[in-house]
C-alpha cells in the first residue's frame, strides 16, 4: 500500500491542507492520505492556540470528508517535540509493508534543508511538494539528495493559512468554506480562536 503522510500543526486544519492532500493522492497515485497532527512542531516558536485534543478532533472531522483520508495520532501519542525522523522510524516499524511519502507545501519544501536529520530522512522516504502562494518550488540551490527526493504535483494556489483563520475568527470575520463544514461547526460550538 502507498500512503502519503500529511503532517501539520493543523491549528486549525483548512481547505489548503485538504486540497493539497487530495492533489497529492491523485497526482502520486496514493492509496490513502493520513492526516497527522504534530504534538509540538520543531519549527514553530509559539505553542498552538487550540489544545492538542481540539486540533486532533478537527483533523478527525476533516478526514471524514474523504474516504481516502484517515487521521493519524502517532505524534500526539508519542508526545514531546515531533521530529519527522522519529515518526518515520516508528511508521516503518509499525507498517513494514507500507510505502510512505510526505506531503508538504512549498514553504516546507524551501525549509527542507533545515529539517532535523534530513539526510537520514531522504534515505527513507520521498516528498510530494505542492504549490503555495508566496513560496516558490525552485530547489536548484539545494543539495542534490534533497532535491531529488521531492516530486512536484499540480495544485491550484490556495491563499489560506491557519494564521489567517485564527485572525479572522478573532476579528469576528467569516471563515466559512475556508474550513470543512464540520470543522466550521466545531469552531463555532467551541468558540475557538475567538479571543
Ligand atoms: P500557520 O498559519 O499556523 O503557520 P499553516 O496554514 O501553514 O499554519 P500547517 O499546519 O503549518 O498550516 O501546515 C501543514 C502543511 O500543510 C505544511 O506542509 C504546509 O506547507 C501545508 N499547507 C498549509 N497550507 C497550505 C496551502 N494553502 N497550500 C498548500 N500547502 C499548504
Amino acid at each position: 500500500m502507498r500512503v502519503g503522510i500529511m503532517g501539520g500543526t493543523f491549528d486549525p486544519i483548512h481547505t489548503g491542507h485538504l486540497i493539497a492532500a487530495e492533489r497529492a493522492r491523485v497526482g502520486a497515485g496514493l492509496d490513502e492520505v493520513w492526516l497527522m497532527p504534530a504534538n509540538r512542531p520543531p519549527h514553530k516558536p509559539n505553542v498552538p492556540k487550540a489544545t492538542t485534543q481540539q486540533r486532533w478532533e478537527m483533523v478527525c472531522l476533516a478526514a471524514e470528508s474523504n474516504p481516502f483520508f484517515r487521521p493519524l495520532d502517532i505524534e500526539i501519542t508519542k508526545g514531546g517535540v515531533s521530529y519527522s525522523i522519529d515518526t518515520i522510524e516508528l511508521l516503518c516499524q509499525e507498517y513494514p509493508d507500507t510505502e510512505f511519502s510526505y506531503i508538504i507545501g512549498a514553504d516546507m519544501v524551501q525549509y527542507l534543508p533545515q529539517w532535523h536529520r534530513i539526510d537520514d530522512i531522504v534515505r527513507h522516504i520521498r516528498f510530494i511538494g505542492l504549490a503555495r502562494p508566496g513560496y516558490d518550488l525552485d530547489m536548484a540551490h539545494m543539495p542534490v539528495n534533497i532535491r531529488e527526493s521531492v516530486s512536484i504535483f499540480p495544485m491550484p494556489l490556495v491563499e489560506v493559512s491557519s494564521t489567517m483563520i485564527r485572525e479572522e475568527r478573532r476579528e469576528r470575520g467569516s471563515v466559512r468554506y475556508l474550513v470543512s463544514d464540520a470543522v466550521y461547526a466545531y469552531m463555532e460550538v467551541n468558540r475557538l480562536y475567538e479571543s
Side-chain angles (χ1 to χ4, degrees):
M1 180 153 95
R2 304 185 67 213
V3 170
I5 301 284
M6 177 129 199
T9 315
F10 298 135
D11 187 26
I13 188 163
H14 55 69
T15 45
H17 297 127
L18 298 176
I19 293 170
E22 176 69 359
R23 284 300 179 122
R25 182 183 75 78
V26 172
L30 304 172
D31 297 302
E32 288 183 0
V33 174
W34 297 356
L35 304 168
M36 178 184 71
N39 190 60
R40 270 188 36 224
H43 60 286
K44 292 201 180 171
N46 301 327
V47 287
K49 293 282 183 288
T51 65
T52 307
Q53 181 66 23
Q54 288 170 330
R55 291 187 295 117
W56 168 250
E57 285 174 5
M58 288 189 283
V59 167
C60 292
L61 289 170
E64 280 172 14
S65 69
N66 188 317
F68 300 103
F69 292 176
R70 165 182 155 182
L72 181 71
D73 64 359
I74 190 166
E75 290 191 337
I76 288 176
T77 307
K78 180 172 176 291
V81 177
S82 311
Y83 289 110
S84 297
I85 186 68
D86 300 337
T87 306
I88 289 160
E89 282 169 358
L90 275 176
L91 284 170
C92 291
Q93 269 169 29
E94 210 167 311
Y95 306 93
D97 301 325
T98 301
E99 185 193 320
F100 290 105
S101 52
Y102 260 51
I103 303 167
I104 54 176
D107 52 319
M108 280 295 121
V109 171
Q110 291 305 333
Y111 194 70
L112 273 181
Q114 279 101 275
W115 280 33
H116 179 58
R117 291 178 58 193
I118 186 65
D119 292 327
D120 293 330
I121 291 178
V122 297
R123 274 196 283 273
H124 284 94
I125 54 138
R126 290 192 57 76
F127 289 95
I128 295 168
L130 300 143
R132 183 170 191 185
Y135 301 91
D136 67 42
L137 285 164
D138 178 19
M139 289 177 280
H141 57 288
M142 289 188 198
V144 67
N145 62 330
I146 300 180
R147 196 167 66 222
E148 288 185 345
S149 72
V150 184
S151 306
I152 306 292
F153 291 98
M155 156 100 186
L157 291 175
V158 180
E159 200 157 23
V160 178
S161 68
S162 299
T163 303
M164 170 207 276
I165 288 168
R166 294 193 303 270
E167 278 169 7
E168 201 71 45
R169 293 280 299 167
R170 204 161 49 231
E171 289 157 16
R172 298 282 195 275
S174 176
V175 299
R176 199 161 196 172
Y177 312 122
L178 302 183
V179 297
S180 76
D181 288 348
V183 170
Y184 177 73
Y186 182 94
M187 290 197 299
E188 283 288 287
V189 167
N190 292 282
R191 308 197 62 180
L192 258 181
Y193 312 115
E194 283 188 3
S195 58

